[in-house]
Amino acid sequence: SGLLTVDARITGTAAAPRLTSTLDVTGLRIAGQDYAGLAAALGYDSQRATLDATFQQDATHSLTATGTIPVVVKWAEGWHAGVPGDMTLQVRSSGLDVAVLNAFTNRTVSDIAGTLGLDLAVTGPVSNPHPQGSFALTHGQATLPSLGVRIEQVLVRGQVTEDAMRIVELSAQSGAGRLTGSGE
């Protein structure tokens, strides 16, 4: 639930339209979890679509996405739309609280906690994107109720490239046992 406010304006001509829009969501509640909100600005001008969005989880946790995509949209002499060039998209977060996942586990996993950080960029054509960046889950923990197992001190650090996803560091602890590793 929440309150969605949208302001959209279309100007220009059928051969060269322009769009400016803003979107705000306040009082956001998903699966019983409250969020501070979502704000986004979308635009289209001179065959380029732009995005600038911020998801505010709470006062200290947020995610931003910014980018441009070359897009041709016109309806003069019939409808035409296409993506003729390379996109640039960046998604960043210094930390999202992963406890929200507790609402979606159907109790197969409980007490999920931790912070997920992201710094990802995607470039190239929409049909063949080239991701690049890093991610990290820190201070992770969870319980597997059916097994009576509590997993703590979960740390996962990784990198994403267009060819692979690498787990640079993986560690977790349960009781006296410890798991460490890496991989691709």
Side-chain angles (χ1 to χ4, degrees):
S1 64
L3 176 63
L4 170 65
T5 305
V6 176
D7 179 34
R9 298 176 193 275
I10 299 175
T11 59
T13 66
R18 294 177 61 189
L19 166 70
T20 57
S21 65
T22 58
L23 175 142
D24 287 301
V25 180
T26 56
L28 183 59
R29 185 177 183 88
I30 301 172
Q33 179 72 38
D34 292 321
Y35 298 96
L38 171 69
L42 306 168
Y44 176 77
D45 189 12
S46 303
Q47 299 185 353
R48 184 161 303 277
T50 59
L51 165 70
D52 186 357
T54 300
F55 168 65
Q56 193 71 43
Q57 193 173 35
D58 56 34
T60 58
H61 300 95
S62 66
L63 175 111
T64 61
T66 58
T68 60
I69 300 175
V71 178
V72 175
V73 177
K74 57 185 173 182
W75 52 89
E77 301 175 20
W79 176 259
H80 177 75
V83 182
D86 291 352
M87 68 174 158
T88 302
L89 176 65
Q90 293 188 336
V91 179
R92 290 189 174 129
S93 176
S94 58
L96 290 175
D97 186 347
V98 298
V100 65
L101 297 175
N102 286 300
F104 303 101
T105 65
N106 200 19
R107 298 186 179 157
T108 55
V109 179
S110 63
D111 303 323
I112 298 171
T115 303
L116 177 65
L118 299 168
D119 187 1
L120 300 174
V122 181
T123 58
V126 172
S127 61
N128 185 23
H130 306 291
Q132 186 79 25
S134 61
F135 60 91
L137 173 66
T138 57
H139 308 294
Q141 63 183 38
T143 299
L144 304 173
S146 62
L147 299 175
V149 173
R150 174 103 175 125
I151 304 166
E152 298 175 315
Q153 298 179 19
V154 177
L155 171 68
V156 180
R157 292 188 198 282
Q159 298 173 334
V160 177
T161 66
E162 61 185 272
D163 298 326
M165 181 167 73
R166 291 177 182 84
I167 304 298
V168 176
E169 181 180 8
L170 167 69
S171 64
Q173 183 173 321
S174 180
R178 184 156 186 82
L179 170 73
T180 61
S182 62
E184 183 174 316

